[in-house]
């Protein structure tokens, strides 16, 4: 078996295309990570690029909300954040998996410092509102994790002991499985689960006679009846490949990645330029965009369209019917976040929670504790990060009502909320102008019927962005897709001049 | 049930004793964390303190090895570390559990910045040398974790499906356990484990057609026969309360905690002062110590002895027989570490390992990857951190042979070792002068028969240090024990002047 660690080509490197774009003009729609990365790489190769970005800031969904940050939902008022200087939260992507090598690579190439994002924390809570015997109790993740491991390994050990299962193992190996179960579950010598220090102490051990006092485990029936094993509540997120530690974040806000790219492509970038139509023409591509001065026409040899599909769906185009169908029907997730600034990091000071995620069964879904400025005075935590129906319901509220909900529900978990709250800023991505959704969500049917149309150029228009990858929702999708279209375009326009095989990295 | 998070007294606070020590003289033996903390708190209360520390540095086992650091084993030559400026490793304690509130508190009170210690990393390896079908393969932790979860939940789900187990649950609750097992194990719709992306990809997902390719799971028999479930190898360390995330370390080296304390007690500290005898006398305590100038006698009203027991065992004293027995017979662990400096952080660049621990079944036991300066050029990793027999065997080697062993065995895992290695520094704690052991290791018998003698004063001599706590091996033990003896001493010497009840925190 091949070790996963050293697959050929695994290390992410600079994008080593050669050949010369000789000033051919590439129009890029959307100044998010995909668009800016494409421009950055094309410029290196001698192309001329123009990026049209509707907003007055670049970065798209890579959006760190800080003092003065603005957002507009629908045609509503522009909201301005009023956080203290130095405090921020990432309304868009907030985590980088260590194995997203292209994201890691660009941070290095662009000089963006990274720090650990503490995604795993056994000290956070499972909070079941109004359900079962554990209703409205703050149950530490470590209690549920270790109680469940204990109960399940005890059951399995019992079944194995009683020869009720055919393990298809020899006697010696079966004995080792039993020993494993005992270690895994923290079972006693009789292979029974009777709680252990793994789930925390009622009284901490200390000096002298203080040996520490471990509490009783939660009853299995209590855990179940409180909904903590429900599919939409029980947290196996930490097991997900993308969410396994080690994770990173950009120091000072994820938008530092976008800002570093922006510097590199400043000469290509037109901010405040809203695309109105995009059309294939015999000589290339024609785009009409609107800015403060009015409408303008722009032509190029080639176009890379990175606009989110729900936005593109409302733009006039002459794409083929399969492309048009994909644009109109690929579903995007409804999702929202709220950042709550507090006078005091009570979650650290009072409750010893440093980073990580509390899970709830109510509208909040999750509370994220910040992975920066630990032990400092003030902090912003993510008061909710929700999806689908819950995100729709909350997104339909006014900003003030969202804040009210976050505070009310959050106070059930952290009563300190009321005393310590200062200011909030919420973003509902599916309502946000120029986004209209969180990220593309493909089921296997959509991958088969809609997705393929976006992978080939529609005449002179190429598509890029997370929605053209199997890395949807991740910044890595933007980076990978940008490289992929640049390689394709370069292969087409500079075909005769490519000196080495063009390989886009996987 | 009481939530664990908000127990009364849970937040660690400053040590609020009142009353005045009125210049009574407390002799403190040992300038490690316990001794310096005791002096720091006693000085605040108006006592006069003298700390006798045999080494020319304070901190004891809180020892970060950096350029110019020295260590002496037995009466052998003094070794000097030759690492690059700015690089270090913690030869002693290297991790702070987030719930060790007193350690967290003193870091805050002393102004020592902390950063996350990334103790959990699914991208590290399980490496079985010379055993079974996975012999000498680099198996990522995520592969074993998820394969074992998959196999075990599949077995249990099957047993439950076939009604072979009495769950003592109603039908509806039992169905929820089945759903839980499916989620927990990553089982398919038929509740079978057939690998999943959780264990990583053979080919990473990317843009366009790159949907990613998941490999086959390891066979259960292969995992077992390669020893990966052996009690001394399979890693459940992450489940241990003290090793659960979130963990911290002092920025720039754990010795910054000792250095911050040292500054506070500089006036009390005599370095290079080796205790030769300690004796109760009618008026208090008499100590003879030796420094460069010769032998000196010192008397005090009270003494706090924080010397490690194997060191104290070789010092002349007139303690009671039960105390003497505890000093001579409490076992200490044999343990050692080696720091290896490399030109290049190949574990990050080539193998995407950022922090965390690789586990082996050979002499290395563990390789720790550094949790600081991620993505920078050079780095020091812990080439081994071993215990007991393995630590004894390696500790008996010359420094050069330890380095050779670490490089040879480490190269099996990271062939880059040979190309990139620069310099090493090893510490064998049980051989190190003035330590003679890692930390106290009590079995339940030793807790009953030996431990109690150390918890009360022997006339005018009090004992402190991790060995007088249920937090052995942890810095928290030093802090808790220091507070505990200070409270006892203050209660005895300043009894009439205590205005508020003396409470030591738990």
């Amino acid at each position: 078996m091949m070790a996963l660690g050293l697959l050929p080509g695994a290390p992410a490197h600079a994008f080593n295309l050669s050949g010369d774009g000789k000033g051919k003009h590439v129009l890029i729609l959307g100044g998010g990570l995909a668009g800016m990365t494409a421009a950055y790489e094309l410029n290196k190769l001698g192309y001329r690029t123009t990026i049209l970005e509707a907003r007055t800031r670049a970065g798209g969904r890579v959006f760190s909300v800080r003092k003065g940050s603005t957002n507009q939902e629908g045609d509503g008022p522009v909201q301005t954040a009023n956080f203290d200087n130095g405090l921020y939260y990432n309304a868009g992507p907030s985590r980088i998996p260590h194995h997203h090598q292209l994201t890691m690579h660009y941070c290095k190439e662009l000089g963006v410092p990274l720090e650990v994002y503490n995604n795993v924390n056994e000290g956070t809570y499972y909070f079941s509102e109004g359900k079962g015997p554990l209703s409205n109790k703050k149950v530490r993740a470590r209690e549920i994790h270790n109680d469940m491991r204990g109960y399940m390994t005890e059951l399995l050990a019992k079944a194995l002991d009683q020869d009720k299962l055919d393990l298809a193992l020899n006697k010696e190996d079966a004995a080792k499985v039993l020993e494993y179960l005992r270690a895994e579950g923290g079972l006693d010598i009789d292979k029974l689960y009777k709680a252990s220090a793994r789930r925390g102490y009622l009284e901490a051990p200390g000096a002298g006679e203080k040996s520490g006092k471990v509490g009783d485990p939660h009853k299995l029936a209590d855990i179940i009846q409180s909904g903590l094993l429900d599919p939409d509540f029980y947290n196996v997120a930490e097991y997900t490949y993308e969410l396994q530690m080690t994770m990173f974040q950009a120091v000072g806000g994820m938008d530092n990645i976008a800002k570093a790219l922006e510097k590199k492509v400043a000469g290509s970038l037109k901010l405040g330029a809203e695309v109105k139509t995009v059309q294939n023409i015999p000589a290339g591509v024609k785009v009409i965009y609107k800015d403060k001065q009015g409408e303008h026409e722009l032509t190029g040899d080639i176009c890379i369209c990175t606009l989110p599909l729900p936005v593109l769906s409302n733009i006039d185009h002459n794409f083929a019917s399969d492309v048009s169908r994909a644009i109109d029907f690929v579903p995007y997730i409804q999702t929202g976040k709220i950042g709550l600034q507090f006078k005091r990091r009570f979650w650290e000071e009072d409750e010893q929670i440093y980073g990580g995620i509390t899970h709830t069964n109510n509208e909040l879904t999750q509370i994220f504790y910040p992975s920066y400025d630990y032990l400092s005075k003030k902090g912003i935590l993510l008061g909710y990060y929700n999806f689908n129906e819950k995100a729709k319901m909350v997104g339909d509220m006014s900003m003030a009502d969202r804040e009210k909900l976050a505070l009310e529900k959050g106070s059930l978990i952290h009563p300190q909320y009321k005393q310590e709250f200062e200011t909030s800023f919420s973003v509902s991505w599916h309502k946000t102008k120029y986004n209209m959704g969180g990220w593309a969500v493909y089921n296997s049917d959509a991958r088969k019927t809609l997705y393929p149309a976006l992978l080939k150029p529609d005449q002179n228009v190429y598509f890029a962005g997370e929605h053209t990858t199997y890395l949807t929702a991740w910044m890595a999708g933007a980076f990978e897709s940008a490289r992929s279209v640049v390689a394709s375009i370069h292969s087409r326009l500079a075909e005769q001049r490519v000196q080495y095989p063009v390989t886009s990295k996987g």
Side-chain angles (χ1 to χ4, degrees), chain A:
Chain A
M1 207 214 108
M2 191 176 262
L4 291 181
L6 287 171
L7 288 173
H13 290 300
F15 196 40
N16 289 319
L17 298 187
S18 51
D20 188 344
K22 292 207 166 166
K24 294 231 166 138
H25 189 199
V26 182
L27 297 184
I28 298 172
L29 313 186
L33 284 198
M36 289 196 289
T37 304
Y40 174 54
E41 295 295 353
L42 286 166
N43 290 351
K44 286 185 195 170
L45 290 166
Y47 291 86
R48 183 161 75 90
T49 57
T50 304
I51 307 171
L52 300 173
E53 167 54 49
R55 287 195 177 93
T56 52
R57 67 163 177 87
R61 281 162 284 182
V62 182
F63 180 35
S64 304
V65 182
R66 52 185 91 244
K67 189 175 191 71
S69 293
T70 60
N71 198 47
Q72 187 180 12
E73 296 188 13
D75 289 315
V78 172
Q79 304 285 332
T80 303
N82 195 27
F83 295 134
D84 280 16
N85 278 323
L87 295 178
Y88 71 90
Y89 81 98
N90 293 312
S94 62
R95 297 177 278 199
I96 303 173
H98 63 274
H99 48 73
H100 278 180
Q101 295 187 45
L102 216 45
T103 308
M104 299 292 283
H105 165 76
Y106 275 110
C107 288
K108 198 165 183 177
E109 180 171 332
L110 297 165
V112 178
L114 298 179
E115 64 192 356
V116 165
Y117 182 92
N118 193 36
N119 199 48
V120 170
N121 180 356
E122 290 290 304
T124 54
Y125 301 123
Y126 283 4
F127 188 83
S128 179
E129 186 187 343
K131 187 166 182 184
L134 299 173
S135 167
N136 290 29
K137 307 242 188 251
K138 296 200 274 193
V139 181
R140 299 271 189 184
R142 64 169 64 91
E143 299 172 43
I144 299 303
H145 290 167
N146 288 296
D147 286 351
M148 286 307 296
R149 272 190 213 118
Y151 288 129
M152 294 299 109
T153 54
E154 178 185 305
L155 270 174
L156 190 49
K158 200 184 291 175
L160 290 175
D161 255 351
Q162 300 170 350
D163 273 329
K164 284 185 177 167
L165 286 172
D166 182 19
L167 251 186
L169 292 175
N170 63 41
K171 208 163 173 172
E172 194 190 347
D173 287 355
K176 287 199 168 162
V177 168
L178 272 175
E179 274 314 296
Y180 159 81
L181 289 171
R182 210 159 75 80
E184 174 75 9
L187 306 184
D188 70 9
I189 192 84
D190 301 317
K191 303 190 200 84
L192 298 175
Y193 179 65
K194 289 179 180 156
S196 79
R198 292 179 185 177
R199 67 191 304 287
Y201 288 89
L202 283 175
E203 291 168 17
E209 312 281 5
K210 292 181 185 161
S211 58
K213 192 174 159 190
V214 173
D216 294 325
H218 298 296
K219 289 189 190 121
L220 178 57
D222 288 358
I223 293 173
I224 299 168
Q225 284 155 28
S226 304
L228 299 182
L229 302 191
D230 288 358
D232 61 344
F233 190 82
Y234 174 73
N235 172 35
V236 289
E238 292 168 14
Y239 297 165
T240 308
Y241 183 51
E242 285 78 11
L243 295 176
Q244 291 168 5
M245 291 295 280
T246 306
M247 304 205 74
F248 288 97
Q249 65 185 357
V251 174
M254 214 62 122
D255 62 350
N256 284 329
I257 301 174
K259 286 174 184 166
L261 264 174
E262 189 178 353
K263 267 189 200 163
K264 297 284 185 187
V265 300
S268 302
L269 192 61
K270 279 189 201 299
L271 294 175
E274 187 181 331
V275 173
K276 290 294 183 185
T277 74
V278 48
Q279 293 198 298
N280 278 296
I281 55 172
V285 181
K286 187 180 83 177
V287 168
I288 295 172
Y289 70 91
K290 191 181 161 188
D291 63 13
K292 274 188 182 167
Q293 282 73 45
E295 291 204 349
H296 310 269
E297 190 180 300
L298 198 63
T299 58
D301 299 300
I302 286 286
C303 174
I304 300 173
C305 178
T306 73
L307 302 179
L309 300 180
V311 174
L312 185 55
S313 178
N314 289 311
I315 287 173
D316 187 41
H317 62 71
N318 64 352
F319 300 145
S321 59
D322 60 336
V323 174
S324 188
R325 202 155 42 92
I327 292 169
D328 294 344
F329 293 108
V330 168
Y332 270 58
I333 199 164
Q334 300 178 100
T335 183
K337 289 181 180 177
I338 192 167
L340 306 172
Q341 178 179 314
F342 293 99
K343 278 177 224 155
R344 182 171 80 80
R345 296 167 84 97
F346 53 81
W347 55 94
E348 298 181 354
E349 289 176 11
D350 304 347
E351 304 180 61
Q352 296 81 55
I353 297 175
Y354 302 90
I357 307 163
T358 279
H359 296 266
T360 80
N361 65 344
N362 62 24
E363 297 87 336
L364 306 181
T365 308
Q366 309 173 84
I367 295 175
F368 283 61
Y369 307 93
S371 279
Y372 70 95
D373 287 358
Y374 297 109
L375 299 162
S376 61
K377 193 166 162 44
K378 291 189 173 187
I380 295 176
L381 55 72
L382 262 192
Y384 60 72
Y385 179 22
N386 48 24
F387 311 100
N388 306 320
E389 277 312 303
K390 285 174 181 174
K392 182 179 180 330
M393 194 270 282
V394 176
D396 285 344
M397 294 179 174
S398 69
M399 301 285 166
D401 282 350
R402 292 179 197 170
E403 175 184 295
K404 200 174 149 201
L405 177 82
L407 293 178
E408 196 178 291
K409 294 294 183 178
S411 296
L412 298 175
I413 303 172
H414 299 291
Q416 304 98 321
Y417 264 36
K418 293 193 172 161
Q419 177 82 12
E420 310 292 353
F421 175 70
E422 292 191 324
T423 179
S424 83
F425 192 86
S426 62
V427 175
S428 174
W429 282 106
H430 54 284
K431 305 198 86 176
T432 292
K433 201 169 176 179
Y434 308 126
N435 293 103
M436 308 295 286
W439 55 84
V441 181
Y442 292 101
N443 57 23
S444 58
D445 188 53
R447 279 282 180 204
K448 234 176 281 175
T449 59
L450 301 173
Y451 183 64
L454 302 170
L455 305 189
K456 49 180 181 46
D458 185 308
Q459 296 182 54
N460 304 315
V461 179
Y462 291 73
F463 299 93
E466 51 87 26
H467 54 283
T468 67
T469 73
Y470 281 87
L471 294 160
T472 50
W474 294 100
M475 292 191 292
F479 288 124
E480 295 280 356
S481 71
R483 283 202 171 186
S484 180
V485 291
V486 167
S488 298
I489 289 167
H490 192 53
S491 163
R492 171 169 160 185
L493 295 192
E495 204 163 9
Q496 303 315 313
R497 291 183 296 275
V498 172
Q499 289 157 348
Y500 304 100
V502 174
T503 55
S504 73
K505 76 148 286 310

